Amino acid sequence: MNQQQGSNRISSGLIAVISATIVAVGGGVAWFVSSNNPSTVPSQQPNTPTQSLVGNEKTAQIYWLQDTGASFKLVPQQIQVAANRNQPDRFLEAAFQRLLEGTAQGNNSTTIPPGTKLLGVDVENDSVRVNLSEEFSKGGGSASMMGRIGQVVYTATSLNPNAKVYIDVNGRQLDVLGGEGVELEQPLTRESFDRDYQL
């Protein structure tokens, strides 16, 4: 009788050890599988600004002046800007920053005075308001002034060639440009610029 009870204890103890081993092995296998399965591991890729800019780099057009001998004409230059076309304010801000750097290619030039800064671009429906620093209204004759107006109007309408453009200086609408008094009838469009201002 005592011998039978002893064998029962061994069997119960053996069963407990085997059960514990199975649970431990099963848990280890589950941990190993889950740690090596990429779908269960959360992504650890931070969204850095550099990654965002590379993904959002788009083509824009800025406009320079080209001397034809008898007059000037506006010529586009395609550039890559780190902005999304679905955010027109930012897209045009990036384009104007490149224009105001004043680094034209080849025999192209600019009549926008050095030191002119972009204070803001506001795109709303079919209108674009460009706010420039006071340097924009300084220096040059009437040909220079008309050239810089054309550069602003054409660059501002690079997303929408039919857009209406308002030019501000230090937050105030620019009605007369420079000492020679080039009058601006705002809003300006590509069509009104070509009709009213001779380069």
Side-chain angles (χ1 to χ4, degrees), residues 100-153:
L100 296 178
E101 287 172 8
T103 52
Q105 293 181 336
N107 62 346
N108 298 335
S109 62
T110 181
T111 58
I112 298 174
T116 300
K117 294 176 184 60
L118 180 69
L119 303 180
V121 175
D122 183 31
V123 179
E124 194 170 321
N125 298 325
D126 66 342
S127 68
V128 180
R129 186 171 291 276
V130 182
N131 188 14
L132 300 164
S133 65
E134 193 172 340
E135 289 83 356
F136 181 77
S137 60
K138 305 292 182 189
S142 59
S144 168
M145 291 175 198
M146 285 187 258
R148 73 185 75 161
I149 293 166
Q151 287 182 265
V152 170
V153 169

Side-chain angles (χ1 to χ4, degrees), residues 58 83-89 91 159:
K58 303 291 181 190
N84 193 322
R85 292 176 75 93
N86 295 328
Q87 297 173 306
D89 295 22
F91 187 82
L159 285 177

Side-chain angles (χ1 to χ4, degrees), residues 1 4 15 31 40 50-51 59 73 93 95-96 102 131 176 187:
M1 181 89 171
Q4 190 177 8
I15 291 172
W31 172 84
T40 61
T50 305
Q51 290 172 327
T59 302
K73 69 175 183 177
E93 279 175 17
F96 270 104
N131 188 14
V176 178

Side-chain angles (χ1 to χ4, degrees), residues 3 14 19 28 30 43 52 55 77 99 105-106 109 119 136 157 163 173 177 187 194 197:
Q3 201 175 19
L14 187 57
S19 297
S43 174
S52 298
Q77 176 190 350
L99 177 67
Q105 293 181 336
S109 62
L119 303 180
F136 181 77
T157 55
Q173 185 168 298
L177 178 61
D194 293 342
Y197 301 93

